[in-house]
């Protein structure tokens, strides 16, 4: 058996929904089965690190999870699923059909990238950091951009218009299932008791943030880039919800459906492994 490390590196993004959820765990306000140490990076970097198996616990896009399911399993708490939370496609003007168009993407391992490939298989996607997408489109370097996180609140400031809401596209084609965006993974080799303990710790960290909403603000602000307070709070309100407490049966169905469609499109391999930590 692999010996347990003294500290578990926990990777998550700079985004307000993640720093809100993980503040109490990072600050030691809630108990955890092992001490954790934050590793903050953008989502595409975390996705790539998961491919390399660099972190024992990490936030990840569901698209990337489908590539590392042999090594990792998702916690039931801490993830990002929901309705009205979908990535947007924006441009300087209406383009109509996106097939054949040059589209800036926040990363080829993001759920957003997968959704656009499902909707427009012949779109020509170029990966880059998510915060570089809108400026690149505004400069005319790409026909359109695929935006995530706080960009959905700020794209008009770049002179861009919305072409497509991929969350609405997903809901219309799945009978209203919530859209799975991101999950918190733990390595499958960790003992089940540690996995369950981490799930409980993440859920308690979220509950602590809800119970003490002012306490995490300085930590969230520290990592929120140049985001206004209103956008920061709107980001939390949109992406943190009941599915963040527990994915639930409906959330599990949504993840299975996304995986099924990814497999059908040749973007993922079939798997019979459990998707989520038990208990």
């Amino acid at each position: 058996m692999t010996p347990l490390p003294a500290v578990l590196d926990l990777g998550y993004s700079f985004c307000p929904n993640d720093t809100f959820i993980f503040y109490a765990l990072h600050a030691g306000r809630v108990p955890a089965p092992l001490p954790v140490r934050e590793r903050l990076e953008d989502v595409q970097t975390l996705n790539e690190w998961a491919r390399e198996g660099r972190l024992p616990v990490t936030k990840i896009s569901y698209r990337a999870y489908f590539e590392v399911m042999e090594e990792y399993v998702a916690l039931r708490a801490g993830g990002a699923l929901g309705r009205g939370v979908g990535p947007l496609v924006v441009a300087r003007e209406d383009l109509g059909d996106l097939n054949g168009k040059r589209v800036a993407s926040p990363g080829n391992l993001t759920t957003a990238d997968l959704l656009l490939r499902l909707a427009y298989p012949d779109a020509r996607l170029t990966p880059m950091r998510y915060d570089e997408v809108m400026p690149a489109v505004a400069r005319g370097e790409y026909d359109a951009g695929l935006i995530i996180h706080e960009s959905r609140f700020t794209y008009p400031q770049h002179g861009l218009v919305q072409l497509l809401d991929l969350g609405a596209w997903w809901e219309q084609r799945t009978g209203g299932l919530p859209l799975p965006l991101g999950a918190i993974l733990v390595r499958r080799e960790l003992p089940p008791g540690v996995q369950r303990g981490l799930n409980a710790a993440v859920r308690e960290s979220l509950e602590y943030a809800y119970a003490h909403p002012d306490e995490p603000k300085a930590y969230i602000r520290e990592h929120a880039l140049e985001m206004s307070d209103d956008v920061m709070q709107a980001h939390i309100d949109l992406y943190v919800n009941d599915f963040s407490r527990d994915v639930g049966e409906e959330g599990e169905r949504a993840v299975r459906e996304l995986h099924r469609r990814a497999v059908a499109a040749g973007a993922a391999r079939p798997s019979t492994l459990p998707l989520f930590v038990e208990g």
Side-chain angles (χ1 to χ4, degrees):
M1 178 180 295
T2 303
L4 291 175
V7 177
L8 289 176
D9 283 325
L10 165 61
Y12 50 94
S13 80
F14 304 100
C15 295
N17 59 309
D18 282 353
T19 49
F20 178 82
I21 289 172
F22 290 109
Y23 162 76
L25 188 55
H26 157 71
R29 299 291 192 268
V30 297
L34 290 170
V36 297
R37 176 172 53 206
E38 64 171 10
R39 295 290 300 275
L40 271 67
E41 289 290 344
D42 68 283
V43 64
Q44 179 64 9
T45 297
L46 293 172
N47 289 340
E48 292 169 354
W49 282 5
R51 265 182 165 178
E52 300 167 7
R54 288 182 58 171
L55 301 178
V57 191
T58 185
K59 174 74 175 282
I60 196 172
S61 299
Y62 271 107
R63 163 68 184 88
Y65 177 28
F66 299 153
E67 292 206 2
V68 298
M69 293 172 68
E70 296 290 330
E71 295 77 28
Y72 288 94
V73 62
L75 298 183
R76 303 188 62 82
L81 297 87
R83 298 180 177 88
V85 300
L88 305 179
V89 181
V90 298
R92 289 170 295 164
E93 59 185 10
D94 187 18
L95 298 175
D97 192 327
L98 291 172
N99 282 312
K101 299 296 193 299
R102 298 169 302 133
V103 183
S105 161
N108 56 13
L109 291 177
T110 61
T111 305
D113 190 279
L114 171 62
L115 290 170
L116 187 56
R117 292 180 189 276
L118 293 176
Y120 289 96
D122 295 323
R124 297 157 52 198
L125 276 63
T126 299
M128 62 184 63
R129 271 182 62 109
Y130 82 92
D131 55 337
E132 296 173 351
V133 169
M134 291 191 298
V137 176
R139 291 192 299 266
E141 297 170 8
Y142 296 89
D143 299 314
L146 180 56
I147 60 172
I148 58 177
H149 303 326
E150 71 276 3
S151 300
R152 67 177 292 128
F153 304 111
T154 59
Y155 68 86
Q157 299 171 17
H158 293 260
L160 304 176
V161 297
Q162 178 182 317
L163 303 183
L164 176 65
D165 183 330
L166 284 165
W169 179 90
W170 167 264
E171 291 174 35
Q172 290 164 5
R173 283 157 179 78
T174 61
L177 285 176
L179 174 62
L181 293 174
I184 312 303
L185 305 188
V186 299
R187 292 195 64 85
R188 290 185 186 270
E189 66 189 20
L190 288 174
V194 173
Q195 294 180 8
R196 291 191 296 271
L198 286 168
N199 188 74
V202 172
R203 186 177 62 248
E204 289 177 26
S205 185
L206 171 57
E207 297 294 357
Y208 185 96
Y210 274 135
H212 307 84
D214 291 331
E215 188 177 330
K217 284 184 177 178
Y219 181 66
I220 298 167
R221 161 57 52 208
E222 177 186 351
H223 300 291
L225 303 178
E226 297 180 2
M227 207 179 300
S228 71
D229 288 345
D230 288 344
V231 169
M232 192 171 72
Q233 189 59 51
H235 190 113
I236 295 169
D237 293 342
L238 182 64
Y239 292 109
V240 183
N241 53 41
D242 285 343
F243 292 112
S244 304
R245 288 185 168 99
D246 188 282
V247 66
E249 187 275 333
E250 187 179 39
E252 287 193 44
R253 282 196 291 118
V255 175
R256 286 196 297 269
E257 178 61 15
L258 183 64
H259 182 243
R260 185 191 70 78
R261 290 177 181 242
V263 170
R269 297 185 300 273
S271 175
T272 59
L273 290 168
L275 285 170
F276 293 94
V277 169
E278 296 182 3

